[in-house]
Amino acid sequence: MIRKFLPHPYLTLTLILVWLLLANAYTLNSLVFAVLVGLVIPWVTAPYWPARPRIANPLKIIEYVGVVIWDIIVANITVARIVLFMPNRDLHPAWVVVPLDLVTPEAITVLAGTITMTPGTLTAELAADGHSLLVHCLHAPDADAVRDEIKTRYEARLKEIFE
Amino acid sequence: MELLWDIVISALLVIGGIFGFVGSLGLVKLPDPMTRLHAPTKSATLGVGAILIASMLWFATKQGHITLHELMVTVFIFLTAPITAHFISKANIFRDWPAETLPEPAGEGEWAVHQADADTSEGELAVKKETEAAREED
């Protein structure tokens, strides 16, 4: 019964929070509307979200977000340095194949997004069978090191969170 | 105190401006479409982030009310930038990088753009069945 009317409780909570932040007014009025939005949207879109992502370890999310935000700042400085000071002929762009241990689509999506936001790497393509990612590196003299870092730094953490 | 906040906010605005500039410069300077994608996905996000933090601080310290709008803008940028980059690179791979110029994927089959009948939903369906079975057990 509850599953029918509340197919995605996390999505409901997120929508309520997002609506309140967008409205930028913390009154009863906007709270009522936020709850309405949070109930109706997951219910209407439920057919498109058949599986509910399982989050095994919610506390790890905080650690992951911290690591990623730090890496984004470092990434920006690295890329800015390459753009400003490195002549194009010294640049070594490379393709890196990252074989995936993750299986859930949510986890793979988060990993792909993280790779794009972090130092010098960009998720370019997913394999047709969904078991590897093609990553483009802006400047990677050592492509294997990049792959190992992605696997240990991000994928291992995501595996703890999602699986 | 007033002066200190002025300095912090101005510094953040300048940092934001610099990174925004670097992101745009990268688009012009880097040699090919794939490397060009790197500049706006990274530098521009930090640039926008710094300006949004400056905006939050300005409202909190000068206007005396807290706004959290800016957090939403940041979240939306973090969600949309990788997806946009992914689509642009997919289109670019489809046009300019035939399968033999790319490294082979680890599993079977090709990269998704090169395989006409690509269906990544197979794994998804397996997970769906699993969760449904778990639900019935509940």
Side-chain angles (χ1 to χ4, degrees), chain A residues 3 21-22 24 50 54 76 82-83 86 88 95 105 116 118 120-121 123-129 132 134 136, chain B residues 29 38 42-43 46 68-69 86 89-90 97 102 104-108 110-113 115 120 124 128 130 138:
Chain A
R3 282 191 195 286
L21 284 171
L22 284 178
N24 222 8
R54 265 176 308 181
N76 277 282
I82 291 174
V83 168
M86 193 183 272
N88 280 348
W95 296 102
T116 300
T118 49
T121 51
T123 311
E125 182 59 312
L126 178 71
D129 62 358
S132 33
L134 181 62
H136 186 265
Chain B
K29 188 227 158 194
H38 286 271
K42 296 189 188 69
S43 302
L46 192 65
L68 296 172
H69 259 144
H86 187 71
S89 72
K90 255 180 183 310
W97 295 84
L102 294 171
E104 294 270 308
E108 287 162 28
E110 293 286 328
W111 295 110
V113 286
Q115 190 167 321
T120 48
E124 207 168 326
K128 184 191 167 191
E130 225 173 82
D138 284 347

Side-chain angles (χ1 to χ4, degrees), chain A residues 24-70:
Chain A
N24 222 8
Y26 307 97
T27 56
L28 186 65
N29 202 340
S30 46
L31 182 69
V32 168
F33 209 81
V35 171
L36 205 68
V37 168
L39 289 176
V40 169
I41 291 180
W43 179 64
V44 171
T45 58
Y48 301 100
W49 300 72
R52 183 195 285 186
R54 265 176 308 181
I55 303 210
N57 206 336
L59 279 182
K60 288 271 173 186
I61 296 177
I62 300 168
E63 184 201 332
Y64 186 76
V65 170
V67 169
V68 170
I69 287 180
W70 173 250

